[in-house]
Amino acid sequence: MRELKNLLSAAGQRAVDAAGQKLSSATDRLTEYASGQGGGGLIAAVTGAKKMAEGKSPLRAAFSGGVAGVKEKVKGLFGGGKSGKAKKLKVTNIEETIDVGVPVRVAYNQWTQFADFPSFMKKVESVEQESDEKNNWKAQVFWSHRTWQATIMQQIPDYNIVWKSKGPKGHVDGSVTFHELPPNMTRILLAMEYHPQGFFERTGNLWRAQGRRARLEFKHFRRHVMTQTILNPDEVEGWRGEIRDGEVVKDHETAMREEQEAREREEGGREEDQSAQQEDRPVEEEGESEEDRSAQQEDRPLKEEGESEDEAEGQFEEEEEGEKPQQRPPRTTRQRQDAARAR
């Protein structure tokens, strides 16, 4: 009994000493926090000290303080707590590049068909076209569903699309550009800024789940173009209008009409060139030799049998000066052709 009392007394003294050390440590941490040098463990320090003051064992007090510290760190990580200054949200940069084996016009037209995205993308549930420059999106994020509205700020056919968005649980701003890589190859560059909001979004942002999801959906787009669109490219009619500063400066119907007029002018120009080439070509008569055609083009007489080149040229010079030839009257084209046939 005496030894048992001594053991209990020693255990109690050790517990008191440990409690004093914990209390001193907590006091030091409170002092550091008050002076601006402490970390995020204020709640843990206060909780541990309070538990020991209530008569709790040092072990239970330390456990309570540790749990409180973990909770505080988690709140700080996800923007919780009653901080006087709001923390700036981190932005996730997403950049992807793919090459598609179709011309630029075909790739651009398919991209502008936003309502078709749910048919070949895995997590995009619906896209509603509110207007030419506004689209309402709905997608699945983990087990939840998220909605946002995208506003196209700039859209130039066969070149780029730039948009901004807003939503209650995060939003994505970005742009996509199209570059020609002949023959019949298009490179698509996608750059996005993801602004997460909410527990699921920020948790997924820790291991960049959104970037991997964007990369996978991008590959789904290429798969669809290379297996479906490439079979009937003319049936995909994209939106050919133009948007600048968030406003439509040229609608789809006007753009299509201008393209049709440009094609007609180009075809008309080619037909005129072909007609002009045919009119400038000399017509060959039956039995007409190359020498006869050359003489007709140069407007000079053909030399007869026994006639030298100098005599023919002299006769041609006299005709140009307006003098009548002394040797013989001028021959007609038909006479020259008959002479040529006789030779």
Side-chain angles (χ1 to χ4, degrees):
M1 293 297 294
R2 188 182 304 109
E3 294 299 330
L4 181 58
K5 290 181 181 180
N6 293 335
L7 179 60
L8 293 176
S9 177
Q13 185 64 34
R14 175 174 292 184
V16 173
D17 294 340
Q21 293 177 2
K22 293 292 183 179
L23 183 60
S24 176
S25 176
T27 304
D28 294 339
R29 291 175 64 185
L30 288 172
T31 303
E32 293 176 358
Y33 190 89
S35 61
Q37 301 176 358
L42 174 63
I43 301 299
V46 173
T47 303
K50 180 179 179 181
K51 295 297 182 183
M52 286 187 295
E54 293 176 354
K56 302 291 184 180
S57 65
L59 181 60
R60 294 181 62 182
F63 178 77
S64 300
V67 171
V70 170
K71 289 182 179 179
E72 185 178 1
K73 290 181 179 180
V74 170
K75 288 183 179 180
L77 177 63
F78 295 108
K82 297 181 179 180
S83 175
K85 183 178 180 181
K87 293 184 179 180
K88 186 178 180 180
L89 293 176
K90 294 183 179 180
V91 177
T92 301
N93 295 322
I94 302 173
E95 298 179 359
E96 297 295 335
T97 303
I98 60 171
D99 295 338
V100 184
V102 293
V104 171
R105 184 183 180 91
V106 177
Y108 173 83
N109 287 347
Q110 182 61 72
W111 187 279
T112 59
Q113 297 297 305
F114 302 116
D116 295 342
F117 280 22
S119 64
F120 57 83
M121 289 188 176
K122 189 175 182 180
K123 297 298 182 180
V124 179
E125 297 182 346
S126 65
V127 182
E128 296 180 357
Q129 191 87 18
E130 181 176 330
S131 61
D132 289 337
E133 69 278 7
K134 292 184 182 295
N135 302 306
N136 297 320
W137 294 69
K138 183 179 180 180
Q140 182 179 358
V141 180
F142 294 104
W143 301 279
S144 301
H145 302 275
R146 297 290 183 263
T147 59
W148 67 91
Q149 184 182 75
T151 301
I152 298 177
M153 305 304 298
Q154 177 174 298
Q155 182 169 349
I156 301 176
D158 302 334
Y159 175 55
N160 73 343
I161 302 174
V162 183
W163 74 89
K164 292 184 178 295
S165 64
K166 59 181 180 179
K169 295 294 183 179
H171 61 280
V172 179
D173 301 335
S175 66
V176 58
T177 58
F178 304 84
H179 308 270
E180 182 178 5
L181 297 177
N184 294 330
M185 182 72 70
T186 302
R187 175 164 294 173
I188 305 177
L189 305 181
L190 177 66
M192 297 189 297
E193 288 185 349
Y194 176 65
H195 302 261
Q197 293 182 7
F199 178 78
F200 285 111
E201 286 75 10
R202 293 174 184 173
T203 302
N205 197 37
L206 294 178
W207 58 84
R208 302 183 66 84
Q210 293 82 3
R212 287 194 290 270
R213 170 51 55 187
R215 186 182 307 114
L216 181 59
E217 301 291 19
F218 211 18
K219 291 182 178 179
H220 284 323
F221 174 80
R222 177 169 59 183
R223 173 187 55 80
H224 177 75
V225 172
M226 296 298 296
T227 59
Q228 302 297 326
T229 307
I230 196 173
L231 298 177
N232 300 294
D234 296 334
E235 295 181 0
V236 180
E237 183 180 354
W239 194 81
R240 306 295 300 178
E242 187 172 339
I243 298 175
R244 294 185 182 275
D245 297 331
E247 296 182 359
V248 178
V249 297
K250 183 188 297 185
D251 58 15
H252 174 72
E253 290 73 16
T254 303
M256 294 297 294
R257 185 174 61 254
E258 292 179 354
E259 290 183 1
Q260 181 65 25
E261 294 175 353
R263 284 195 297 268
E264 293 176 354
R265 287 195 300 269
E266 185 178 356
E267 293 175 357
R270 285 198 298 264
E271 292 177 357
E272 292 178 359
D273 294 340
Q274 293 176 358
S275 300
Q277 292 177 2
Q278 293 177 357
E279 293 175 358
D280 294 340
R281 185 181 306 167
V283 179
E284 298 183 5
E285 294 185 2
E286 182 179 0
E288 185 179 15
S289 64
E290 184 68 25
E291 185 179 0
D292 296 335
R293 293 194 299 272
S294 301
Q296 292 176 10
Q297 292 177 359
E298 295 178 2
D299 293 334
R300 58 189 175 91
L302 293 174
K303 62 180 181 178
E304 295 183 353
E305 184 177 1
E307 183 181 19
S308 64
E309 185 71 24
D310 295 338
E311 293 175 354
E313 292 294 337
Q315 179 183 358
F316 179 69
E317 292 176 358
E318 290 177 357
E319 291 177 357
E320 287 184 342
E321 293 176 358
E323 299 178 359
K324 295 183 178 180
Q326 299 178 0
Q327 296 180 358
R328 67 181 67 87
R331 296 174 299 174
T332 63
T333 302
R334 188 65 182 178
Q335 292 175 345
R336 288 197 298 270
Q337 292 177 358
D338 294 339
R341 293 191 187 95
R343 289 198 300 274

mmCIF file of all heavy atoms in Angstrom, residues 12 41 54 66-67 78 89 96 120 156-157 164 168 182 221 236 250 282 286 290 294-295 312 325-326:
data_model
loop_
_atom_site.group_PDB
_atom_site.id
_atom_site.type_symbol
_atom_site.label_atom_id
_atom_site.label_comp_id
_atom_site.label_asym_id
_atom_site.label_seq_id
_atom_site.Cartn_x
_atom_site.Cartn_y
_atom_site.Cartn_z
ATOM 1 N N GLY A 12 1.107 11.524 -10.230
ATOM 2 C CA GLY A 12 0.411 12.799 -10.162
ATOM 3 C C GLY A 12 1.351 13.970 -10.330
ATOM 4 O O GLY A 12 1.034 14.962 -10.980
ATOM 5 N N GLY A 41 -2.100 28.433 -35.289
ATOM 6 C CA GLY A 41 -2.495 27.501 -34.237
ATOM 7 C C GLY A 41 -3.068 28.168 -33.026
ATOM 8 O O GLY A 41 -2.927 27.660 -31.902
ATOM 9 N N GLU A 54 -9.597 22.851 -17.094
ATOM 10 C CA GLU A 54 -10.798 22.180 -16.623
ATOM 11 C C GLU A 54 -10.493 20.874 -15.905
ATOM 12 O O GLU A 54 -11.409 20.178 -15.478
ATOM 13 C CB GLU A 54 -11.724 21.908 -17.811
ATOM 14 C CG GLU A 54 -12.303 23.182 -18.436
ATOM 15 C CD GLU A 54 -13.132 22.862 -19.649
ATOM 16 O OE1 GLU A 54 -13.146 21.675 -20.046
ATOM 17 O OE2 GLU A 54 -13.779 23.775 -20.214
ATOM 18 N N GLY A 66 -4.793 19.515 -30.847
ATOM 19 C CA GLY A 66 -4.363 19.116 -32.181
ATOM 20 C C GLY A 66 -5.500 19.088 -33.172
ATOM 21 O O GLY A 66 -5.377 19.519 -34.317
ATOM 22 N N VAL A 67 -6.662 18.544 -32.732
ATOM 23 C CA VAL A 67 -7.820 18.510 -33.616
ATOM 24 C C VAL A 67 -8.263 19.919 -33.987
ATOM 25 O O VAL A 67 -8.587 20.208 -35.148
ATOM 26 C CB VAL A 67 -8.967 17.733 -32.955
ATOM 27 C CG1 VAL A 67 -10.248 17.870 -33.770
ATOM 28 C CG2 VAL A 67 -8.587 16.262 -32.803
ATOM 29 N N PHE A 78 -9.164 26.381 -47.415
ATOM 30 C CA PHE A 78 -10.311 26.572 -48.292
ATOM 31 C C PHE A 78 -10.972 27.923 -48.111
ATOM 32 O O PHE A 78 -12.103 28.124 -48.513
ATOM 33 C CB PHE A 78 -11.338 25.457 -48.065
ATOM 34 C CG PHE A 78 -10.820 24.112 -48.444
ATOM 35 C CD1 PHE A 78 -10.509 23.172 -47.478
ATOM 36 C CD2 PHE A 78 -10.638 23.797 -49.771
ATOM 37 C CE1 PHE A 78 -10.039 21.939 -47.841
ATOM 38 C CE2 PHE A 78 -10.162 22.554 -50.148
ATOM 39 C CZ PHE A 78 -9.859 21.624 -49.172
ATOM 40 N N LEU A 89 -8.200 34.233 -54.563
ATOM 41 C CA LEU A 89 -8.346 32.880 -55.077
ATOM 42 C C LEU A 89 -7.224 32.554 -56.047
ATOM 43 O O LEU A 89 -6.774 33.395 -56.816
ATOM 44 C CB LEU A 89 -9.691 32.728 -55.790
ATOM 45 C CG LEU A 89 -10.943 32.826 -54.925
ATOM 46 C CD1 LEU A 89 -12.178 32.743 -55.804
ATOM 47 C CD2 LEU A 89 -10.967 31.732 -53.881
ATOM 48 N N GLU A 96 -3.710 23.535 -73.696
ATOM 49 C CA GLU A 96 -3.696 22.288 -74.447
ATOM 50 C C GLU A 96 -3.580 22.586 -75.938
ATOM 51 O O GLU A 96 -4.017 23.638 -76.419
ATOM 52 C CB GLU A 96 -4.975 21.472 -74.190
ATOM 53 C CG GLU A 96 -5.155 21.025 -72.749
ATOM 54 C CD GLU A 96 -4.085 20.047 -72.301
ATOM 55 O OE1 GLU A 96 -3.505 19.348 -73.163
ATOM 56 O OE2 GLU A 96 -3.819 19.988 -71.085
ATOM 57 N N PHE A 120 -20.769 14.147 -77.660
ATOM 58 C CA PHE A 120 -19.476 13.450 -77.736
ATOM 59 C C PHE A 120 -18.529 13.789 -76.588
ATOM 60 O O PHE A 120 -17.454 13.199 -76.500
ATOM 61 C CB PHE A 120 -18.782 13.744 -79.084
ATOM 62 C CG PHE A 120 -18.559 15.210 -79.366
ATOM 63 C CD1 PHE A 120 -17.468 15.887 -78.850
ATOM 64 C CD2 PHE A 120 -19.451 15.908 -80.167
ATOM 65 C CE1 PHE A 120 -17.261 17.216 -79.126
ATOM 66 C CE2 PHE A 120 -19.254 17.246 -80.447
ATOM 67 C CZ PHE A 120 -18.156 17.903 -79.936
ATOM 68 N N ILE A 156 -13.825 35.506 -84.605
ATOM 69 C CA ILE A 156 -13.465 35.777 -85.991
ATOM 70 C C ILE A 156 -13.437 34.440 -86.718
ATOM 71 O O ILE A 156 -12.728 33.522 -86.293
ATOM 72 C CB ILE A 156 -12.102 36.489 -86.089
ATOM 73 C CG1 ILE A 156 -12.149 37.817 -85.320
ATOM 74 C CG2 ILE A 156 -11.726 36.734 -87.538
ATOM 75 C CD1 ILE A 156 -10.831 38.546 -85.270
ATOM 76 N N PRO A 157 -14.206 34.284 -87.787
ATOM 77 C CA PRO A 157 -14.293 32.989 -88.463
ATOM 78 C C PRO A 157 -12.932 32.439 -88.872
ATOM 79 O O PRO A 157 -12.073 33.171 -89.383
ATOM 80 C CB PRO A 157 -15.164 33.302 -89.688
ATOM 81 C CG PRO A 157 -15.980 34.479 -89.281
ATOM 82 C CD PRO A 157 -15.097 35.293 -88.395
ATOM 83 N N LYS A 164 -15.599 34.926 -71.811
ATOM 84 C CA LYS A 164 -15.579 35.067 -70.357
ATOM 85 C C LYS A 164 -16.851 34.434 -69.817
ATOM 86 O O LYS A 164 -17.868 34.386 -70.512
ATOM 87 C CB LYS A 164 -15.468 36.529 -69.925
ATOM 88 C CG LYS A 164 -14.131 37.174 -70.257
ATOM 89 C CD LYS A 164 -14.057 38.584 -69.705
ATOM 90 C CE LYS A 164 -12.692 39.216 -69.989
ATOM 91 N NZ LYS A 164 -11.628 38.483 -69.275
ATOM 92 N N PRO A 168 -22.032 30.464 -60.080
ATOM 93 C CA PRO A 168 -22.003 30.470 -58.614
ATOM 94 C C PRO A 168 -20.933 29.575 -58.018
ATOM 95 O O PRO A 168 -20.526 29.775 -56.879
ATOM 96 C CB PRO A 168 -23.407 29.969 -58.239
ATOM 97 C CG PRO A 168 -23.828 29.150 -59.403
ATOM 98 C CD PRO A 168 -23.246 29.801 -60.603
ATOM 99 N N PRO A 182 -0.908 22.760 -93.607
ATOM 100 C CA PRO A 182 -1.182 21.991 -94.825
ATOM 101 C C PRO A 182 -0.392 20.689 -94.834
ATOM 102 O O PRO A 182 0.674 20.597 -94.209
ATOM 103 C CB PRO A 182 -0.715 22.937 -95.943
ATOM 104 C CG PRO A 182 0.284 23.831 -95.291
ATOM 105 C CD PRO A 182 -0.160 23.984 -93.869
ATOM 106 N N PHE A 221 -13.222 15.825 -78.603
ATOM 107 C CA PHE A 221 -13.538 16.666 -79.757
ATOM 108 C C PHE A 221 -12.775 16.181 -80.989
ATOM 109 O O PHE A 221 -13.356 16.059 -82.080
ATOM 110 C CB PHE A 221 -13.184 18.125 -79.459
ATOM 111 C CG PHE A 221 -13.350 19.044 -80.637
ATOM 112 C CD1 PHE A 221 -14.601 19.523 -80.981
ATOM 113 C CD2 PHE A 221 -12.251 19.422 -81.397
ATOM 114 C CE1 PHE A 221 -14.760 20.374 -82.076
ATOM 115 C CE2 PHE A 221 -12.405 20.257 -82.487
ATOM 116 C CZ PHE A 221 -13.651 20.736 -82.827
ATOM 117 N N VAL A 236 -21.732 20.174 -91.999
ATOM 118 C CA VAL A 236 -21.530 20.918 -90.749
ATOM 119 C C VAL A 236 -21.469 22.400 -91.090
ATOM 120 O O VAL A 236 -20.489 22.887 -91.655
ATOM 121 C CB VAL A 236 -20.230 20.475 -90.039
ATOM 122 C CG1 VAL A 236 -20.047 21.266 -88.738
ATOM 123 C CG2 VAL A 236 -20.266 18.983 -89.759
ATOM 124 N N LYS A 250 -21.443 41.269 -87.219
ATOM 125 C CA LYS A 250 -21.881 40.661 -88.474
ATOM 126 C C LYS A 250 -22.570 39.337 -88.148
ATOM 127 O O LYS A 250 -21.961 38.451 -87.557
ATOM 128 C CB LYS A 250 -20.709 40.422 -89.425
ATOM 129 C CG LYS A 250 -21.115 39.853 -90.779
ATOM 130 C CD LYS A 250 -19.890 39.459 -91.586
ATOM 131 C CE LYS A 250 -19.022 40.672 -91.883
ATOM 132 N NZ LYS A 250 -17.890 40.321 -92.758
ATOM 133 N N PRO A 282 -5.572 32.098 -132.630
ATOM 134 C CA PRO A 282 -5.894 32.130 -134.065
ATOM 135 C C PRO A 282 -6.607 30.858 -134.497
ATOM 136 O O PRO A 282 -6.342 29.775 -133.995
ATOM 137 C CB PRO A 282 -4.524 32.253 -134.735
ATOM 138 C CG PRO A 282 -3.560 31.686 -133.734
ATOM 139 C CD PRO A 282 -4.129 32.026 -132.397
ATOM 140 N N GLU A 286 -8.618 24.897 -143.130
ATOM 141 C CA GLU A 286 -8.261 23.594 -143.698
ATOM 142 C C GLU A 286 -7.109 23.765 -144.686
ATOM 143 O O GLU A 286 -7.180 24.569 -145.619
ATOM 144 C CB GLU A 286 -9.478 22.988 -144.394
ATOM 145 C CG GLU A 286 -9.206 21.611 -144.966
ATOM 146 C CD GLU A 286 -10.426 21.042 -145.613
ATOM 147 O OE1 GLU A 286 -11.476 21.750 -145.592
ATOM 148 O OE2 GLU A 286 -10.358 19.919 -146.131
ATOM 149 N N GLU A 290 1.670 26.498 -141.099
ATOM 150 C CA GLU A 290 2.188 27.387 -140.049
ATOM 151 C C GLU A 290 2.734 28.670 -140.643
ATOM 152 O O GLU A 290 2.607 29.754 -140.069
ATOM 153 C CB GLU A 290 3.271 26.655 -139.264
ATOM 154 C CG GLU A 290 3.821 27.428 -138.073
ATOM 155 C CD GLU A 290 2.768 27.564 -136.981
ATOM 156 O OE1 GLU A 290 1.850 26.721 -136.920
ATOM 157 O OE2 GLU A 290 2.881 28.519 -136.181
ATOM 158 N N SER A 294 1.578 32.562 -139.735
ATOM 159 C CA SER A 294 2.546 33.571 -139.305
ATOM 160 C C SER A 294 2.495 34.793 -140.195
ATOM 161 O O SER A 294 2.595 35.932 -139.732
ATOM 162 C CB SER A 294 3.958 32.970 -139.320
ATOM 163 O OG SER A 294 4.022 31.858 -138.455
ATOM 164 N N ALA A 295 2.319 34.571 -141.499
ATOM 165 C CA ALA A 295 2.247 35.709 -142.413
ATOM 166 C C ALA A 295 1.008 36.542 -142.152
ATOM 167 O O ALA A 295 1.032 37.769 -142.230
ATOM 168 C CB ALA A 295 2.263 35.200 -143.861
ATOM 169 N N ALA A 312 10.306 40.212 -151.365
ATOM 170 C CA ALA A 312 9.052 40.241 -150.610
ATOM 171 C C ALA A 312 9.058 41.327 -149.540
ATOM 172 O O ALA A 312 8.073 42.038 -149.330
ATOM 173 C CB ALA A 312 8.813 38.880 -149.972
ATOM 174 N N PRO A 325 3.090 49.048 -155.470
ATOM 175 C CA PRO A 325 4.200 48.213 -155.925
ATOM 176 C C PRO A 325 4.277 48.229 -157.447
ATOM 177 O O PRO A 325 3.267 48.226 -158.144
ATOM 178 C CB PRO A 325 3.834 46.833 -155.391
ATOM 179 C CG PRO A 325 2.365 46.863 -155.250
ATOM 180 C CD PRO A 325 2.010 48.266 -154.890
ATOM 181 N N GLN A 326 5.488 48.336 -157.999
ATOM 182 C CA GLN A 326 5.697 48.416 -159.432
ATOM 183 C C GLN A 326 5.672 47.049 -160.085
ATOM 184 O O GLN A 326 5.393 46.919 -161.248
ATOM 185 C CB GLN A 326 7.039 49.089 -159.720
ATOM 186 C CG GLN A 326 7.086 50.509 -159.184
ATOM 187 C CD GLN A 326 8.447 51.171 -159.431
ATOM 188 O OE1 GLN A 326 9.338 50.518 -160.013
ATOM 189 N NE2 GLN A 326 8.583 52.406 -159.026
#
